[in-house]
Amino acid sequence: MRSIDVIFRWQDDLPDVSHTAVVVIDTLRATTTIATILANGAQAVLPVGGVEKAFALKEQDPRLVLGGERNNRPLPGFDAGNSPYDYPRAVVEGRRVVLTTTNGTQAVERTAHAPWVALGSLVNARAVAQAQQSAHDLGLIVCAGTEGQVSLEDVLAAGAIVLHWPQEACTDRALIARALFDKWRDHLYEGLKTAQHARAIIAQGLDADVEYAARLDLLPHAVVRNKEGWFVNQ
Amino acid sequence: MRSIDVIFRWQDDLPDVSHTAVVVIDTLRATTTIATILANGAQAVLPVGGVEKAFALKEQDPRLVLGGERNNRPLPGFDAGNSPYDYPRAVVEGRRVVLTTTNGTQAVERTAHAPWVALGSLVNARAVAQAQQSAHDLGLIVCAGTEGQVSLEDVLAAGAIVLHWPQEACTDRALIARALFDKWRDHLYEGLKTAQHARAIIAQGLDADVEYAARLDLLPHAVVRNKEGWFVNQ
């Protein structure tokens, strides 16, 4: 029987995911940016937790693009930040990108033992939902959250993915995410702006990134993990 | 500054509640039934976890009404079950009632150190929200959930309470609950029936209890804890 469930924060109790297709969501901004990097022609993207790990990978492969942020600011010595606008085709086409993020990476590591893992966001929600349902009958969406708190933007994107699962497959948590999406589906940018983390990002002058993250189904590809643990378009 | 937050399951991380007005919600059926018992003229209601504790209290005070359920069935030796219809005025007027419940009681015990605790449900959402805001600027709503899972019906009732707080006081979790309520506000019975626990209760022939639990603001009183730890109308 098909089933889709949603975890509102990666820190929460995780069910057994050994037969589950997992989607990790960090809408502002990691998973939105990774989907964009791949759409702009990058070969593969690896989210990593630590800056040291990123530099070590770059030493092994000088052609790598290093990207990332701490507190929504670009890192010294890096090629780009965590904004989707930092990765135009001219920068990333044909290259591999390592992106340091905090919450998104931790959520991905938490579900590393799942047989199938994808990264979800509003910009590729439909594609991710279709790929997830093709991969397994059991689906789980793990929201990254922000600094240990439930983030509205991640639950909103989860709802945009749940939307494509049959209603009878939905747990109560999935239905709650779906209701949040239903409320804002015609005004997603407005919806994102009610989220605390979105307001913090906007206060740092990154309004354009929030507006971009609200573009539902802008991109036609799901972002899935390959055998080497890198994420690629499917 | 005012703030209202929502915990989706009583097992989740609890913030410090030592200066917080806490509302505990177990919509199907404990907190709905307790509000009804008090509306029908009972003096006070005490939710307890164990059957033994209920019998011990009855030994001390034979006039007590004992109520409760296990797996949605009445208990042997008890006066009534956990349905609001088990407690008409003729049964409870002027009496004290002890109700055994599992989730609701655990959620109440978890927040026992809060300075103010109330029980919330759809049938008294407005009254509870007003009392909560009068009690403290910091509000927390704790959903009981069902067998360790998030229950849609409790988050729905939480949303009905959040509705009465100012938008700018809402955390992301409060806004998520609010969105769920907004989706179903004109069809609350239909909304409740999407919840897994509601469907289980209906399958046991208790449809009338679900229909009753959906009657928004039927009752004009908040249910608050007094100095002895019993719950009374306010």
Side-chain angles (χ1 to χ4, degrees), chain A residues 177-207:
Chain A
R178 167 79 193 270
L180 180 66
F181 177 76
D182 286 342
K183 172 164 180 165
W184 294 109
R185 62 190 300 164
D186 296 325
H187 311 278
L188 287 168
Y189 175 47
E190 294 304 311
L192 281 185
K193 286 198 290 184
T194 68
Q196 261 173 7
H197 182 48
R199 292 199 299 269
I201 285 180
I202 290 169
Q204 291 176 289
L206 300 169
D207 198 356

Side-chain angles (χ1 to χ4, degrees), chain A residues 8 152 172 182-183 196, chain B residues 8-9 152 172 182-183 196:
Chain A
F8 292 153
L152 184 141
D172 281 18
D182 286 342
K183 172 164 180 165
Q196 261 173 7
Chain B
F8 292 154
R9 305 181 313 158
L152 183 141
D172 281 17
D182 286 342
K183 172 165 181 165
Q196 262 174 6

Side-chain angles (χ1 to χ4, degrees), chain A:
Chain A
M1 212 182 85
R2 308 200 118 186
S3 165
I4 181 72
D5 195 7
V6 177
I7 304 277
F8 292 153
R9 303 182 313 157
W10 67 263
Q11 294 91 342
D12 287 346
D13 295 343
L14 203 68
D16 173 23
V17 293
S18 52
H19 302 281
T20 305
V22 171
V23 173
V24 171
I25 296 181
D26 188 6
T27 316
L28 293 174
R29 297 173 289 169
T31 55
T32 301
T33 297
I34 292 170
T36 305
I37 293 170
L38 289 166
N40 285 342
Q43 274 182 15
V45 181
L46 185 68
V48 300
V51 174
E52 299 72 23
K53 171 128 189 226
F55 281 125
L57 288 163
K58 175 94 175 180
E59 239 181 65
Q60 291 166 30
D61 176 3
R63 277 222 358 113
L64 277 185
V65 177
L66 286 199
E69 49 91 15
R70 282 296 178 276
N71 303 317
N72 304 320
R73 296 283 174 207
L75 285 156
F78 273 47
D79 304 302
N82 197 14
S83 164
Y85 291 110
D86 289 346
Y87 300 90
R89 188 165 285 273
V91 169
V92 296
E93 191 160 34
R95 298 180 69 183
R96 296 163 82 82
V97 178
V98 169
L99 191 72
T100 70
T101 80
T102 41
N103 278 309
T105 302
Q106 288 170 300
V108 167
E109 285 170 356
R110 187 85 202 283
T111 56
H113 52 300
W116 187 91
V117 180
L119 304 181
S121 59
L122 287 166
V123 298
N124 67 350
R126 190 199 296 121
V128 167
Q130 287 168 352
Q132 185 182 31
Q133 288 181 77
S134 302
H136 282 271
D137 283 348
L138 301 181
L140 180 71
I141 301 169
V142 178
C143 297
T146 306
E147 292 170 14
Q149 300 298 313
V150 172
S151 267
L152 184 141
E153 69 271 17
D154 293 338
V155 181
L156 186 69
I161 293 169
V162 168
L163 176 74
H164 298 281
W165 284 77
Q167 166 102 9
E168 62 273 18
C170 296
T171 64
D172 281 18
R173 288 193 290 213
L175 291 174
I176 291 166
R178 167 79 193 270
L180 180 66
F181 177 76
D182 286 342
K183 172 164 180 165
W184 294 109
R185 62 190 300 164
D186 296 325
H187 311 278
L188 287 168
Y189 175 47
E190 294 304 311
L192 281 185
K193 286 198 290 184
T194 68
Q196 261 173 7
H197 182 48
R199 292 199 299 269
I201 285 180
I202 290 169
Q204 291 176 289
L206 300 169
D207 198 356
D209 286 6
V210 176
E211 190 276 331
Y212 178 88
R215 296 187 195 174
L216 184 66
D217 297 326
L218 174 72
L219 306 176
H221 295 292
V223 171
V224 302
R225 191 184 60 187
N226 70 10
K227 282 179 199 160
E228 289 77 42
W230 288 65
F231 285 87
V232 296
N233 263 349
Q234 174 181 297

Side-chain angles (χ1 to χ4, degrees), chain B residues 135-190:
Chain B
H136 283 272
D137 281 349
L138 301 181
L140 179 72
I141 301 171
V142 179
C143 297
T146 306
E147 292 170 14
Q149 301 299 313
V150 171
S151 268
L152 183 141
E153 69 271 16
D154 292 339
V155 181
L156 187 69
I161 292 169
V162 168
L163 176 74
H164 298 281
W165 284 77
Q167 166 102 9
E168 64 271 18
C170 295
T171 64
D172 281 17
R173 289 194 289 214
L175 292 174
I176 291 165
R178 168 80 193 269
L180 181 66
F181 177 76
D182 286 342
K183 172 165 181 165
W184 294 110
R185 61 191 301 166
D186 296 325
H187 312 277
L188 287 168
Y189 176 46
E190 295 304 311

